[in-house]
Amino acid sequence: MAELFKGKPVVESLNNRLIKEVSELKSKGVMPTLAILRVSNRPDDIAYENAAKKRADQIGVGIKNVVLPTDVPVDKFYKEVQLLNYDDTVHGILMFRPLPAHIDEGRAMRMIKPIKDVDGCTEGSLSGVFTNADIGYAPCTAQAVVEMLDHYGVEISGKNVVVLGRSIVVGRPLAMMFTYRDATVTICHTRTNNITGIARKADILVSCMGKAQLVNKGYFSEGQIVIDVGTSIDPNTGKLVGDVVAEDADSLVKAYSPVPGGVGMITTSILLEHVVRAAKRMSE
């Protein structure tokens, strides 16, 4: 039976550290604050917003809500982004996407200062990830994977890592993060030949494809660490599931992370860790 890499212990460790760091900042008169900019009433956005507020309250991070109607004039929307950019009491900006069709999402993202891009979605932040420079922040989910591996004492240097998925928000930045930790990385995608054969040779296998239960025993080998980042709704049960067939992983690999209860629950703490880091940078 494989070891289960659960997200809860990672979150608890992160939160305990952040509580201390926030306390130190407050003693210096700095209140780390996250601005949440939402232009919708989508249930998933509201659910994530509520989760972020709850986690922020636990850690001591402040939240500033900016909720605009979906028909907000373009000029007013851009003005709100700029106000948050130049508000010294705001250390991080989380902008929910997609934005309404009449707003240029690319322009809106480019407007956010990298130092406040705690979601790691702007070109500035991604340039920092791909050049290993201290610019902006890594995408939260990608960093959550590395945080999980570090928490469970998994050595990354020198390992053969296979990343299933090449999205700009997880797969590609995660591959760069592994590379800068001295791993040898292979990115696989829908056009990869012999994907199962490549996956079986991995020491660390990360799946971020968003394809329900696609990664089965054909992808696994003994001694592997398997991290499941994908999330989908099972059409038969209506339940949240990952890319990985848990039963197959459990019988073959050394350790794997579950969905739900794995990487996903770490991402909110990473978001708030970025807010705290931004507050430190801006107060220096």
Side-chain angles (χ1 to χ4, degrees):
M1 182 177 292
E3 180 182 355
L4 205 57
F5 280 6
K6 294 184 178 181
K8 187 176 179 180
V10 187
V11 169
E12 290 174 347
S13 177
L14 266 170
N15 288 358
N16 289 336
R17 174 168 60 82
L18 291 175
I19 287 169
K20 293 178 182 178
E21 292 180 6
V22 168
S23 179
E24 290 173 3
L25 283 167
K26 287 181 178 178
S27 71
K28 299 175 183 177
V30 179
M31 175 64 178
T33 299
L34 169 68
I36 300 177
L37 178 58
R38 176 164 55 84
V39 194
S40 78
N41 290 311
R42 289 187 295 269
D44 55 340
D45 286 352
I46 293 172
Y48 189 85
E49 181 180 300
N50 290 335
K53 287 180 181 178
K54 183 177 179 181
R55 190 71 55 83
D57 186 59
Q58 293 171 347
I59 294 169
V61 169
I63 296 289
K64 179 175 182 176
N65 266 109
V66 179
V67 181
L68 302 172
T70 54
D71 61 351
V72 60
V74 172
D75 290 346
K76 178 174 173 53
F77 175 81
Y78 292 142
K79 182 179 179 181
E80 290 291 342
V81 176
Q82 289 290 46
L83 287 172
L84 295 175
N85 255 338
Y86 292 100
D87 184 344
D88 290 339
T89 67
V90 169
H91 303 100
I93 301 171
L94 172 62
M95 182 176 69
F96 283 116
R97 307 184 309 280
L99 294 169
H102 68 288
I103 297 174
D104 184 337
E105 188 170 294
R107 177 183 173 186
M109 291 172 64
R110 287 190 294 272
M111 288 176 67
I112 298 174
K113 291 181 178 181
I115 196 170
K116 292 191 177 186
D117 175 29
V118 292
D119 199 27
C121 65
T122 67
E123 292 172 358
S125 283
L126 290 172
S127 73
V129 172
F130 278 78
T131 60
N132 199 30
D134 192 19
I135 303 170
Y137 307 90
C140 295
T141 302
Q143 187 173 330
V145 171
V146 177
E147 194 76 32
M148 171 174 274
L149 292 170
D150 285 345
H151 177 86
Y152 285 101
V154 177
E155 180 63 55
I156 295 173
S157 178
K159 294 300 177 65
N160 179 22
V161 177
V162 173
V163 178
L164 305 178
R166 56 179 171 178
S167 75
I168 196 64
V169 293
V170 185
R172 279 183 278 174
L174 182 56
M176 288 299 100
M177 294 168 74
F178 279 131
T179 299
Y180 287 114
R181 293 283 294 270
D182 297 321
T184 300
V185 185
T186 303
I187 300 177
C188 295
H189 46 79
T190 53
R191 298 295 182 92
T192 300
N193 292 322
N194 190 29
I195 190 170
T196 54
I198 295 170
R200 285 196 299 271
K201 294 179 181 179
D203 299 310
I204 301 171
L205 176 64
V206 182
S207 184
C208 45
M209 296 186 293
K211 302 292 185 182
Q213 309 284 276
L214 177 67
V215 183
N216 56 30
K217 59 185 177 181
Y219 289 74
F220 305 141
S221 61
E222 290 184 10
Q224 279 184 324
I225 305 295
V226 177
I227 305 298
D228 192 353
V229 182
T231 55
S232 306
I233 300 299
D234 187 323
N236 298 316
T237 64
K239 294 182 179 180
L240 183 69
V241 295
D243 291 349
V244 172
V245 179
E247 294 80 4
D248 290 357
D250 193 47
S251 63
L252 281 171
V253 306
K254 180 178 179 181
Y256 72 97
S257 65
V259 174
V263 170
M265 68 186 304
I266 304 170
T267 58
T268 306
S269 289
I270 296 293
L271 175 74
L272 297 174
E273 191 233 0
H274 290 170
V275 176
V276 174
R277 282 172 55 193
K280 288 181 178 179
R281 287 178 176 181
M282 293 170 66
S283 63
E284 291 175 349

